[in-house]
Amino acid sequence: MNLKKTKNAGNGDTPASLVSSPRWVLWFCFVAAVLLAAGVFYYHSEIGHIQQVKASELSGIGEMKVEQIVRWRQERNDDARRIAASSIISKHVAEWLSDPNGLANKENLIGRLRMDQDLGIYFQALLVNADKKILLSATSEPA
């Protein structure tokens, strides 16, 4: 095998001199810098896009949770109005408030509270006064 340096017929450069030529090194560095800059630009644009998408998703989730809470609160208010408008429950509450030691009305009211709680309608069922003091509870005696 002959390893002598020979001149190329076309341009007069040897293969070894092409690799070590400053012109090719500069060209390689330029192409590498352009690719690196393009990669960094693409990376930053993707970060911005992903942040925008995630912010939009979180905003949508927040809006849905607000709507869900408003709907839940409206349902609870409707339940309270329905129960307060019930003549049977109102009668038992009025009778129990006039005679707090009377067990029949108290047991009827606690039974109703327990029924709502046992059916899974409420986690905790309470009878409270206008000052938000607990009068009766489905689970235990109020403090």
Side-chain angles (χ1 to χ4, degrees):
M1 185 154 43
N2 187 1
L3 295 176
K4 286 186 179 181
K5 287 186 181 177
T6 59
K7 292 231 180 212
N8 284 344
N11 60 10
D13 292 332
T14 61
S17 67
L18 284 176
V19 173
S20 64
S21 169
R23 180 177 42 165
W24 287 102
V25 171
L26 289 174
W27 179 250
F28 175 78
C29 288
F30 173 74
V31 170
V34 167
L35 289 174
L36 180 65
V40 167
F41 174 76
Y42 177 75
Y43 175 76
H44 285 290
S45 70
E46 283 298 305
I47 286 175
H49 175 72
I50 290 170
Q51 286 175 338
Q52 184 180 14
V53 167
K54 294 302 176 185
S56 176
E57 288 176 3
L58 287 175
S59 176
I61 291 169
E63 289 173 8
M64 288 185 337
K65 288 309 272 181
V66 166
E67 291 172 7
Q68 183 182 31
I69 291 169
V70 167
R71 190 172 48 251
W72 174 85
R73 182 151 165 45
Q74 182 63 42
E75 289 171 0
R76 299 299 72 82
N77 285 337
D78 291 345
D79 288 347
R81 281 191 290 278
R82 180 182 46 79
I83 291 169
S86 169
S87 60
I88 295 172
I89 295 174
S90 297
K91 176 184 167 230
H92 287 296
V93 170
E95 289 175 1
W96 177 70
L97 288 175
S98 67
D99 182 19
N101 294 326
L103 291 178
N105 287 317
K106 182 178 181 180
E107 290 302 319
N108 285 335
L109 292 171
I110 290 175
R112 172 60 192 236
L113 294 174
R114 284 190 180 138
M115 179 185 70
D116 286 343
Q117 188 171 330
D118 292 343
L119 292 174
I121 297 172
Y122 301 109
F123 174 74
Q124 186 176 27
L126 306 169
L127 177 65
V128 297
N129 65 10
D131 297 328
K132 299 179 184 172
K133 180 180 179 228
I134 299 172
L135 302 176
L136 288 176
S137 171
T139 55
S140 63
E141 287 296 316

